[in-house]
Amino acid sequence: MTNTRKQSEGAETAASEGREQPAARPGATAAAKGAPRGLGSKNPKQGMTMTGAQAVVASLEAEGVDLVFGYPGGQAIKIYDALYDSDRIRHVLSRHEQGAVHEADGYARATGNVGVAIVTSGPGATNTVTGIATAYMDSVPLVVITGQVPRGVIGTDSFQESDIVGITMPVVKHSYLLQSTDELTATFREAFHIAKTGRPGPVLIDVPSDLASEELVFEYPDEVSLPSYKPTYRGNAKQVRQAVARIRRAERPVLYVGGGVVSSGASEELRALAELMRIPVVTTLMGKGAFPASHELNLGPVGMHGSKYANLAMTESDLIIAAGARFSDRVTGRLDEFAPHAEVIHIDIDPAEIGKVREAQIPIVGDLKGVLANVVAQLVKENAQPRTAEWLAQIAEWRFRHPFYHPNVGDAPDEIVPEVVMEKLSAALDPEQSIVVTEVGQHQMWAAQHIARECPRSFISSGGLGTMGFGFPASIGAAIGCPDKTVVCVAGDGSFQMNSQEMATAGIHGVPVKVLVMDNRCLGMVHQWQHLFYGERYSSTLLDANPDFVKLADAYGWQAARVEGPDELDAALAAMLAAKGPYLLDVAISRDQNVFPMVAPGRALDDVIGAIDAAVGAVRTDVPEADGAAGGKGGTR
């Protein structure tokens, strides 16, 4: 493996427990949709003589790939020529290689399949780095195929050469530079296996252009032999029993849920545990949708822009059950004051995450779906009863007193209120038949706070890397992967312009994605920090030179509209969602709108500013004096 986070991971535990090895069970995680089709003797192309480029395409077909995103170039031209003859793979031409990888990423997150991108060498390959890093940080299964200069000139600074394997080494799960056609098919088999098993992640395959011309006899392997790579799926039985015993004693437990629940397909098991023991659930940005928003035990987002009641629940808990979450700094706040009374049960398929940030009293390495199912089964067997009645009553009191939003905090009736926009959008969407994708910034936090999601893979956002420019192309990939669902991208005017060229991709391919731009003519989140903590010194965050987004949409053949007043909002949202093709809705909001509540950088999780206190008239409290619109303590915004 090429990175310290990789999974040599649990090989000892796996051996000691006799776990079935991933090589014998391709597609062991929820990200895999069964065994790849056409492997081995079942593959109609098995034994055929073909070029390396044709073998690349045949390998993709053998893995069941029917959709790739990409952008051609000189060193990838042979692969693209072979792709021209495939009747099983659809290629979506992006307008930038970063867009292609984000599109593959959005497709993977929405469907659970491995996303695939193909690009050329040099600048084509280096343009993928941000997309690969985004997928790596959020554990998304991708295979990125890059063209490379001929083997004989690698290392000579030849035209459009870059060491993409070296450049991406810190942000891939594994990578390959093909050296011979003899290793081509085994490499592709391994790459897909690694990408989708264990903790999912991106894998890169660099294909020299001369190798793509050489002939080989196509033999695609049925199995993978990777002795050093044996992810642990079954949790240690002794540790599971310890977790069960600790859960039975807990009086103030919290289930802290991350994206691992989504990757594992463990939502039903999570719900069973929460309901059986009456445990409240808080979610990370990546975990949103893993537990139904409408469920009485769902406290929603936690952390820097989480609710005050969720943050208080974490702070006062006596047991945190971390399920597929990594104790990000955006969740914990000041670490030495985080959850001071709590013991931790940490369940994750990646042992490198356990104890990395917060010590776990009961660490369990394994796949969440199976581990949670075992925990629930043992609790049922022991007739365990919840002890959380007083705890839930306390949380209910906090929840009533400190809601995310209350109409009484509004002090500008002629302005569009971001929280209201998100709540209206949420109400207009079928939670079972829609996917919300976000860009990164204030709008992302408003969406996370106010858009209800009832099922996994229905909320897609860049969590770990926080990539501006991710959301729009990712929404295209999600919409192509889930054509029966309404896909809405919630964007900011700054983030949207990072990859707005992908409007051409959606337009030409007829992708009916909807883009709602929260347009405040500034880089909202940085502007907010400057407003609160930097004396209103707005250095390089004002975007007065924004384009007319409606005219931009028209130039790409999209439908579009702009709204500037709250009275126009309902009709505008209805028109956007009813449109048959791609649609952009430009929503004008004030630069003075801030995302609250907020835990200031370096502060404890329960040290919340801007939370609403319904007990004193539904006003935002503890807002710093530097916020001119708020007027200090008790201010509205």
Side-chain angles (χ1 to χ4, degrees):
M1 296 294 157
T2 61
N3 187 284
T4 55
R5 194 183 80 173
K6 313 307 182 250
Q7 297 164 3
S8 48
E9 282 175 342
E12 301 86 357
T13 306
S16 68
E17 297 198 1
R19 176 190 50 75
E20 184 179 13
Q21 302 301 311
R25 51 191 293 242
T29 67
K33 298 294 185 180
R37 67 191 184 202
L39 296 181
S41 59
K42 297 179 181 180
N43 193 323
K45 294 186 178 180
Q46 201 81 341
M48 292 178 59
T49 299
M50 59 181 67
T51 66
Q54 291 170 329
V56 168
V57 175
S59 296
L60 294 176
E61 292 176 342
E63 289 292 339
V65 173
D66 56 12
L67 177 69
V68 301
F69 302 85
Y71 201 93
Q75 302 301 340
I77 194 169
K78 297 181 180 73
I79 297 174
Y80 270 87
D81 185 66
L83 191 61
Y84 189 83
D85 292 327
S86 176
D87 58 1
R88 294 172 60 180
I89 298 177
R90 175 188 178 189
H91 180 269
V92 174
L93 176 63
S94 67
R95 291 304 183 270
H96 191 283
E97 290 89 354
Q98 181 184 348
V101 179
H102 289 327
E103 284 154 12
D105 183 321
Y107 165 84
R109 297 193 202 211
T111 65
N113 297 324
V114 178
V116 180
I118 304 175
V119 303
T120 194
S121 66
T126 58
N127 279 344
T128 68
V129 173
T130 299
I132 293 171
T134 300
Y136 179 75
M137 290 289 284
D138 290 345
S139 304
V140 178
L142 296 183
V143 170
V144 178
I145 302 163
T146 54
Q148 183 55 277
V149 299
R151 286 166 290 182
V153 296
I154 290 177
T156 66
D157 295 329
S158 59
F159 179 66
Q160 291 194 333
E161 178 189 0
S162 66
D163 177 12
I164 193 60
V165 169
I167 290 168
T168 59
M169 190 170 289
V171 292
V172 294
K173 190 175 177 184
H174 196 51
S175 58
Y176 300 86
L177 170 60
L178 286 177
Q179 299 285 0
S180 167
T181 54
D182 293 341
E183 64 188 24
L184 189 152
T185 55
T187 294
F188 273 79
R189 185 73 178 90
E190 289 178 10
F192 277 84
H193 176 76
I194 292 169
K196 66 190 176 185
T197 54
R199 179 178 184 173
V203 177
L204 183 135
I205 307 174
D206 203 21
V207 184
S209 59
D210 62 319
L211 185 149
S213 300
E214 291 186 0
E215 289 193 342
L216 71 153
V217 177
F218 184 76
E219 299 286 348
Y220 204 75
D222 282 312
E223 297 184 356
V224 175
S225 178
L226 293 169
S228 65
Y229 175 69
K230 292 181 171 62
T232 300
Y233 286 91
R234 185 178 302 158
N236 180 278
K238 179 180 178 181
Q239 291 164 330
V240 169
R241 288 195 298 271
Q242 290 174 346
V244 167
R246 183 63 188 87
I247 291 169
R248 292 189 64 178
R249 298 196 309 272
E251 296 181 351
R252 302 189 309 279
V254 172
L255 271 160
Y256 161 46
V257 172
V261 173
V262 178
S263 296
S264 177
S267 292
E268 291 184 7
E269 290 76 12
L270 170 68
R271 181 168 181 166
L273 175 58
E275 292 180 343
L276 177 66
M277 300 305 293
R278 303 291 296 163
I279 303 174
V281 176
V282 299
T283 56
T284 69
L285 190 66
M286 300 303 300
K288 187 175 175 68
F291 195 75
S294 60
H295 200 290
E296 61 176 341
L297 293 172
N298 191 342
L299 305 187
V302 67
M304 177 173 280
H305 292 291
S307 65
K308 184 168 183 175
Y309 51 83
N311 287 1
L312 286 171
M314 284 284 268
T315 302
E316 298 300 324
S317 65
D318 64 2
L319 176 66
I320 293 174
I321 307 165
R326 59 188 181 87
F327 292 93
S328 160
D329 57 293
R330 288 297 172 107
V331 167
T332 64
R334 183 170 174 171
L335 189 60
D336 61 1
E337 296 185 26
F338 172 71
H341 315 296
E343 292 185 310
V344 172
I345 299 170
H346 196 168
I347 310 167
D348 204 290
I349 201 165
D350 183 356
E353 288 298 340
I354 298 178
K356 184 177 78 174
V357 176
R358 171 67 181 254
E359 179 186 0
Q361 281 67 44
I362 304 175
I364 304 177
V365 178
D367 181 61
L368 276 167
K369 189 175 182 69
V371 172
L372 291 178
N374 287 341
V375 168
V376 171
Q378 290 195 35
L379 287 167
V380 171
K381 182 179 179 180
E382 296 176 15
N383 194 29
Q385 300 298 316
R387 306 174 65 186
T388 59
E390 291 184 10
W391 177 230
L392 293 176
Q394 173 64 78
I395 291 173
E397 180 181 327
W398 290 334
R399 193 171 196 162
F400 177 79
R401 182 169 178 174
H402 302 293
F404 261 130
Y405 179 71
H406 191 288
N408 287 359
V409 303
D411 58 349
D414 295 331
E415 289 184 5
I416 295 175
V417 177
E419 293 94 334
V420 173
V421 177
M422 295 297 101
E423 290 183 357
K424 285 181 178 290
L425 175 61
S426 179
L429 293 172
D430 181 343
E432 303 289 337
Q433 292 298 320
S434 63
I435 298 172
V436 173
V437 187
T438 80
E439 285 286 355
V440 168
Q442 286 179 312
H443 58 277
Q444 178 188 30
M445 297 298 101
W446 284 316
Q449 291 174 344
H450 296 279
I451 295 180
R453 300 284 82 190
E454 296 295 316
C455 55
R457 303 193 182 279
S458 63
F459 188 86
I460 295 172
S461 195
S462 173
L465 198 62
T467 304
M468 292 176 67
F470 162 81
F472 174 44
S475 68
I476 294 173
I480 294 174
C482 301
D484 296 331
K485 294 186 177 181
T486 300
V487 177
V488 179
C489 173
V490 177
D493 49 315
S495 284
F496 181 67
Q497 291 183 82
M498 291 279 184
N499 276 308
S500 60
Q501 78 284 338
E502 297 305 309
M503 295 180 81
T505 305
I508 290 171
H509 292 279
V511 184
V513 65
K514 318 302 179 191
V515 178
L516 191 157
V517 178
M518 301 294 283
D519 188 355
N520 58 5
R521 292 299 196 265
C522 71
L523 300 176
M525 189 60 81
V526 183
H527 186 274
Q528 174 170 332
W529 283 38
Q530 290 171 336
H531 185 57
L532 294 172
F533 312 121
Y534 290 87
E536 301 183 12
R537 292 161 55 88
Y538 299 121
S539 176
S540 301
T541 54
L542 305 182
L543 300 178
D544 290 317
N546 273 351
D548 182 325
F549 289 113
V550 174
K551 290 182 178 178
L552 180 66
D554 182 65
Y556 281 110
W558 284 42
Q559 300 175 72
R562 176 176 169 84
V563 293
E564 298 182 343
D567 293 343
E568 309 168 53
L569 191 56
D570 289 332
L573 288 172
M576 177 186 75
L577 296 176
K580 298 300 182 184
Y583 193 103
L584 183 145
L585 180 61
D586 185 15
V587 180
I589 63 172
S590 168
R591 284 174 177 161
D592 294 330
Q593 299 280 2
N594 291 322
V595 181
F596 288 125
M598 179 182 185
V599 177
R603 306 299 287 270
L605 188 63
D606 61 340
D607 188 0
V608 179
I609 63 175
I612 291 171
D613 191 339
V616 293
V619 297
R620 295 200 184 276
T621 60
D622 301 312
V623 179
E625 294 288 344
D627 185 347
K633 284 198 172 195
T636 55
R637 282 201 176 274

